[in-house]
Amino acid sequence: MSHKRIPKRKAAIAAGGVVALGAAAMLLPNANASQDGAADGATPRTLKATDASDLAAQLATSLGAAFAGSYYDSARQQLVVNVVGGDDNVFAQAEKAGAAVRRVGNTVASLQSAARTLKARATIPGTSWAVDPRTNKVVVTADRTVTGARWNRLRSTVQGLGSATATLRKSAGTFKTFAAGGDAIFAQAQGGTVRCSLGFNVTASDGSPAFLTAGHCGVAAKQWADSQNGQPVATVDQATFPGNDFSLVKYDDPNTRAPSEVDVGNGQTVQITQAADATVGETVFRVGSTTGLHNGAVTGLDATVNFQSETDPNGVDTVNGLIQTDVCAEPGDSGGSLFTQDGSAVGLTSGGSGDCT
C-alpha cells in the first residue's frame, strides 16, 4: 500500500472539516484603517484574540440591536464593543461580561444598508468596501485604476451616504487575484502554467484526503501537481469564484497523508489545531508559495471586492464575505494559509492591492 506524504515545504495544514473554514482574505497593505474613539468605563478583561471572538459572538446575541460591532485591541488585549442607544443597562451588561464598551452612532443595520447601496450604485472594478468597527463606518477603497467618470460615480455614492457613515480612500496598488508565481501547486491551463499556494489540508465530508486553495485557482485548472513539471496529484472537487473564492481539491491517491502544520521557514512549523473566526484587530500570519511568511492585522470583516474580470474586459468579478487585512502578498500566494500564532486556521489568500517589497 502506498502512502504519499506531501513535502513540508509545500504543505500548509488544516483543521477538521471543510465547512469550518469559511472566509478568504483580501490583503490591502496600502489601505489600512485608522482607529478612532475610545472605550469608556470599567476595567475590561484581558483576553486572547480567540477568546475575544467568542465573547463578541455572545454579546452580539445578548445585546441584540444595541450591538454595533466589535474589535480586538491587541495592545491592551481587550475586546472593544460598540453599542448604540442610551440604555445604560446594555452598557453595563457588556462591561460586566468583560468588554471595553463605547457608544457609537451607526447600527449594524445602517452600515449593512450602506453596503447594499454601494453594491447597487458602485460595483466598479478596482473597488472594495468593508465595515470597520473601529471607526463605526463603511470604509470604501478604490485602487489606482478607478479614475474619471468611475471615480466621480464612486465619490458621489460615498458622499451620499454621509461622512458619518462612509469613508473613501485611495490605494496605490491595483486589486487583483494572485494566481501566478510560487512553488506550491501547479496546473496547466489555457495560456500556460498556473501556480497557486496550497492552503490547508482537510478531510472532505466523504472521508477523502483533500486540500483547500483559492477558488479562482480551482476555476482556472482542474488538475494540480506538487511540482512544476510533475504529474497531477489532485483534482478539483468544488470551486467557487466569483461570489466566494475557495476550492476543495481531492488527492487522487486516497492513501495520501499530509503533515498537520504550516511551514513558516527556517525549519520551523506551526501546528494547526482548529478553525476559527477572524476578529478585527487580531494579529494574523500568512504563508504563500511566492513570498513565504508575513504577518499583519485584520482590518475588516465581511468585505466586498470588485476585481476586474479576467475574461470580460467590461466585466466585474465580485467576491463577498472576505477578511480584510494589511498583510502583503504577491502573485502565486493565492490560496495560501491565513492563521494565528496559536494554530487556528482563519482563511485563504484571495487577492490584494500591494506587494511585499
Side-chain angles (χ1 to χ4, degrees):
M1 181 178 293
S2 64
H3 298 276
K4 181 175 178 61
R5 180 179 176 84
I6 303 301
K8 288 185 178 181
R9 65 183 177 83
K10 297 180 180 177
I13 281 302
V18 173
V19 296
L21 189 63
M26 177 64 182
L27 311 169
L28 301 178
N30 298 317
N32 297 342
S34 61
Q35 179 175 335
D36 65 0
D40 301 324
T43 302
R45 291 164 51 195
T46 298
L47 299 166
K48 294 181 179 179
T50 50
D51 295 331
S53 178
D54 292 340
L55 178 58
Q58 295 169 16
L59 289 173
T61 300
S62 63
L63 300 183
F67 179 85
S70 64
Y71 65 93
Y72 182 63
D73 185 335
S74 58
R76 294 183 173 87
Q77 294 185 295
Q78 298 170 356
L79 175 70
V80 182
V81 171
N82 298 332
V83 299
V84 292
D87 189 338
D88 289 337
N89 290 330
V90 169
F91 202 94
Q93 181 181 350
E95 285 189 328
K96 184 177 180 180
V101 192
R102 63 176 191 170
R103 287 190 173 91
V104 296
N106 293 316
T107 65
V108 170
S110 66
L111 295 175
Q112 290 174 340
S113 176
R116 288 193 294 270
T117 298
L118 288 163
K119 179 180 179 181
R121 301 179 184 175
T123 298
I124 298 167
T127 62
S128 73
W129 50 83
V131 173
D132 179 8
R134 295 164 299 181
T135 60
N136 190 230
K137 296 179 183 180
V138 177
V139 177
V140 183
T141 306
D143 73 15
R144 61 185 178 87
T145 68
V146 182
T147 59
R150 287 181 170 182
W151 170 257
N152 292 336
R153 175 177 148 202
L154 179 64
R155 182 173 59 180
S156 175
T157 303
V158 173
Q159 289 175 341
L161 295 172
S163 60
T165 301
T167 300
L168 177 61
R169 59 186 60 183
K170 267 279 193 180
S171 169
T174 301
F175 294 165
K176 55 188 179 292
T177 54
F178 287 144
D183 73 356
I185 53 175
F186 299 80
Q188 298 302 315
Q190 186 175 4
T193 301
V194 176
R195 291 193 287 153
C196 287
S197 295
L198 190 153
F200 298 99
N201 284 313
V202 296
T203 299
S205 59
D206 64 357
S208 301
F211 64 82
L212 299 178
T213 189
H216 61 269
C217 298
V219 169
K222 188 75 172 176
Q223 293 185 302
W224 290 86
D226 58 3
S227 63
Q228 185 166 1
N229 298 313
Q231 292 298 309
V233 298
T235 303
V236 174
D237 181 72
Q238 301 174 41
T240 303
F241 180 85
N244 294 313
D245 193 7
F246 78 94
S247 294
L248 173 67
V249 187
K250 292 184 177 180
Y251 290 106
D252 296 334
D253 181 352
N255 297 309
T256 295
R257 296 178 180 178
S260 297
E261 66 261 354
V262 175
D263 179 8
V264 296
N266 297 320
Q268 296 181 318
T269 60
V270 173
Q271 186 75 23
I272 299 299
T273 59
Q274 64 180 349
D277 292 328
T279 302
V280 171
E282 76 174 316
T283 298
V284 288
F285 296 82
R286 178 198 59 73
V287 168
S289 56
T290 301
T291 58
L293 178 69
H294 288 271
N295 69 287
V298 175
T299 59
L301 299 176
D302 199 23
T304 294
V305 180
N306 299 300
F307 295 110
Q308 172 66 56
S309 173
E310 296 184 4
T311 58
D312 179 0
N314 299 313
V316 182
D317 287 337
T318 299
V319 182
N320 303 301
L322 291 165
I323 302 166
Q324 187 182 71
T325 81
D326 61 9
V327 189
C328 74
E330 292 192 14
D333 288 330
S334 277
S337 49
L338 188 75
F339 59 98
T340 63
Q341 189 172 13
D342 66 359
S344 297
V346 174
L348 306 167
T349 299
S350 176
S353 66
D355 58 40
C356 298
T357 61

